[in-house]
Amino acid sequence: MADRSLLGGAEPCPRREEAPEWGYEEGEGPGGSGGDKLWVAGGSGGGLSVCLSVRPSGGAVPRVGSGRDITAAPGAAGVEWGLLFPEANGEYQSPINLNSREAKYDPSLLDVRLSPNYVVCRDCEVINDGHSIQIALKSKSVLIGGPLPRGHEFELHDVRFHWGRENQRGSEHTVNFKAFPMEIGKEHVGLKAVTEILQDIQYKGKSKTIPCFNPNSLLPDPLLRDYWVYEGSLTIPPCSEGVTWILFRYPLTVSQVQIEEFRRLRTHVKGAELLEGSDGILGDNFRPTQPLSDRVIRAAFQ
């Protein structure tokens, strides 16, 4: 259960907003380093989506699936992920389009409530790796329950952001063929500490430490009941499968000023020569939707 004493903290560590989409992966992580990892892809809005990476404290869920599917790498015209990363050819790839009418209600998802116990992180490093913005977390925060394996807790490792060049896109998953990036509206106070320093890490390889970040600000209502679940993969290379995605129903809200701070970021080192056809702007850094195949989407609500 989330520590409620942390949800109403000081201004840099504000209380929750609304609604991320999550997923966890147990198998090789994006770096291909081996070891189990829970991949939580988070709230989207205004062309921005948030991904939280959480590693299980113990035990592993078997990896599944193989098949064919080749996807062109965003921002790298002519490069096919399936040629470089065999797992991207799998039958159970992510993201997908979610048809809400075909989702099957599964009351067992509520047997053990999905419960985060996220704590405020002090002195977090924010990094521009040329592909996304990452927050490296140091404090021990855990997630249990819902569709996650019983008896296991999953530790929050880092937070990553993906965004579109336009407000109409930015979320990786779509619902009924509609993208759900964060809604443009009021400022997302939980992201203020991040967006305020993005100008200092505009170029690839730059990083900066922020004094405080509260991951609870990326969570929806504390009951965490309105979500869909399906089996998929990482959405970045190596596209490892064996991932259970938890997609929340409602979007986050972010201000236009905040999303524009992300759109000023660059994919390259300062002063580097750009590749032909590239403007160096970091954006549209999300994978297109993949075929659902024979997978079943489960819903924790009716």
Side-chain angles (χ1 to χ4, degrees):
M1 184 173 181
D3 185 348
R4 293 180 181 272
S5 67
L6 299 173
L7 303 183
E11 178 70 14
C13 304
R15 62 175 67 238
R16 291 180 296 263
E17 293 286 337
E18 303 145 281
E21 50 178 90
W22 292 1
Y24 79 87
E25 188 256 339
E26 303 208 55
E28 281 196 337
S33 58
D36 303 318
K37 177 172 284 191
L38 172 65
W39 192 261
V40 184
S44 6
L48 180 72
S49 60
V50 187
C51 302
L52 297 88
S53 172
V54 187
R55 301 183 180 188
S57 299
V61 174
R63 298 165 61 134
V64 296
S66 62
R68 292 186 315 200
D69 179 44
I70 295 178
T71 303
V79 177
E80 293 182 323
W81 283 1
L83 299 179
L84 302 175
F85 306 97
E87 290 181 274
N89 297 322
E91 191 174 355
Y92 303 122
Q93 290 288 291
S94 297
I96 62 167
N97 173 66
L98 189 155
N99 187 328
S100 61
R101 293 186 177 182
E102 294 180 358
K104 307 296 184 183
Y105 173 57
D106 183 357
S108 70
L109 293 172
L110 302 177
D111 288 348
V112 179
R113 186 168 66 85
L114 189 64
S115 301
N117 185 6
Y118 290 168
V119 299
V120 172
C121 176
R122 307 290 177 181
D123 298 325
C124 303
E125 187 178 20
V126 185
I127 306 161
N128 178 353
D129 64 9
H131 302 285
S132 67
I133 289 295
Q134 174 187 357
I135 305 175
L137 303 175
K138 299 177 181 178
S139 57
K140 182 176 180 179
S141 296
V142 299
L143 181 69
I144 62 172
L148 305 182
R150 299 292 183 264
H152 294 274
E153 61 178 27
F154 295 78
E155 297 181 18
L156 184 61
H157 180 253
D158 61 30
V159 179
R160 293 174 183 266
F161 298 88
H162 302 271
W163 57 92
R165 294 193 179 202
E166 299 178 359
N167 292 345
Q168 291 73 27
R169 59 180 186 262
S171 65
E172 295 186 304
H173 291 81
T174 60
V175 178
N176 301 326
F177 298 101
K178 181 180 178 181
F180 281 86
M182 290 182 183
E183 295 176 343
I184 293 293
K186 64 180 180 180
E187 178 182 68
H188 191 294
V189 183
L191 295 180
K192 186 175 181 180
V194 177
T195 55
E196 285 182 338
I197 59 91
L198 291 182
Q199 61 184 345
D200 299 325
I201 58 171
Q202 183 178 11
Y203 293 93
K204 178 181 178 179
K206 295 289 187 179
S207 65
K208 186 163 186 175
T209 299
I210 56 176
C212 177
F213 181 74
N214 187 355
N216 288 293
S217 67
L218 302 178
L219 296 178
D221 181 88
L223 292 179
L224 298 181
R225 293 175 62 97
D226 287 0
Y227 61 83
W228 298 281
V229 178
Y230 82 96
E231 301 301 316
S233 73
L234 287 179
T235 58
I236 60 176
C239 303
S240 308
E241 294 186 344
V243 178
T244 296
W245 281 89
I246 305 173
L247 307 176
F248 283 96
R249 194 176 182 182
Y250 304 108
L252 293 166
T253 299
V254 67
S255 72
Q256 186 68 51
V257 171
Q258 286 180 305
I259 186 58
E260 292 301 333
E261 290 297 330
F262 282 92
R263 291 176 179 152
R264 293 189 179 97
L265 298 170
R266 298 294 184 265
T267 61
H268 57 91
V269 175
K270 186 175 183 179
E273 185 177 348
L274 298 178
L275 297 174
E276 184 178 354
S278 172
D279 59 9
I281 296 175
L282 179 52
D284 288 345
N285 52 351
F286 52 90
R287 191 185 191 192
T289 56
Q290 305 296 301
L292 181 63
S293 300
D294 60 352
R295 288 175 284 182
V296 175
I297 299 169
R298 295 182 291 157
F301 62 94
Q302 291 180 295

